Amino acid sequence: MLSNEEQHPEGNRYRDEDENERTEPLNPLSDALPIRVIIHGHHPTENENGMEGEVAGKLIHLPGSMEDLLQLAETKFNKRGTRVLMADGSKVEDLDALRENDHLYIF
């Protein structure tokens, strides 16, 4: 039987805890590049004037903590937010769960 290296000469793209069990693919860029998100300074169902509808946000690099995110949003929108929601209204509790180009509503 061929080893994993012999079967895949381009290199092993998977982290292996056990040789027969594949886990998540390796992504060499995930640690190198910061995640970019779009922030909005209002509730997801309202625009900045309090009317329903879509409004452009501000593209930022996701900071390392929720407090840093709230401070950055305060700088961008000139008002302090205490809640962070996704476009569908779900509350953001862990920044590590966010993905590239997610829309965050901070109010």
Side-chain angles (χ1 to χ4, degrees):
M1 179 172 202
L2 295 175
S3 72
N4 196 23
E5 288 79 19
E6 292 170 323
Q7 290 175 10
H8 304 285
E10 71 279 358
N12 186 3
R13 294 182 35 224
Y14 296 90
R15 292 186 182 114
D16 292 331
E17 292 176 12
D18 180 79
E19 195 168 301
N20 296 325
E21 180 183 332
R22 288 188 177 176
T23 57
E24 63 181 300
L26 291 175
N27 183 353
L29 297 178
S30 64
D31 293 331
L33 297 175
I35 295 174
R36 298 177 310 163
V37 296
I38 297 101
I39 59 172
H40 304 267
H42 55 86
H43 193 276
T45 59
E46 298 176 348
N47 65 23
E48 293 183 27
N49 299 322
M51 307 292 286
E52 291 187 16
E54 188 66 29
V55 188
K58 297 183 183 218
L59 180 66
I60 63 163
H61 285 119
L62 187 64
S65 72
M66 188 67 74
E67 184 59 33
D68 289 344
L69 176 61
L70 293 173
Q71 287 177 354
L72 180 59
E74 182 177 10
T75 301
K76 299 287 184 188
F77 301 117
N78 296 318
K79 60 182 175 181
R80 179 72 174 167
T82 57
R83 298 185 67 192
V84 181
L85 301 181
M86 300 290 293
D88 65 358
S90 58
K91 183 179 179 184
V92 175
E93 295 183 346
D94 182 4
L95 296 183
D96 291 332
L98 298 175
R99 293 179 281 177
E100 184 82 10
N101 295 322
D102 275 345
H103 286 257
L104 305 179
Y105 294 82
I106 303 168
F107 59 99

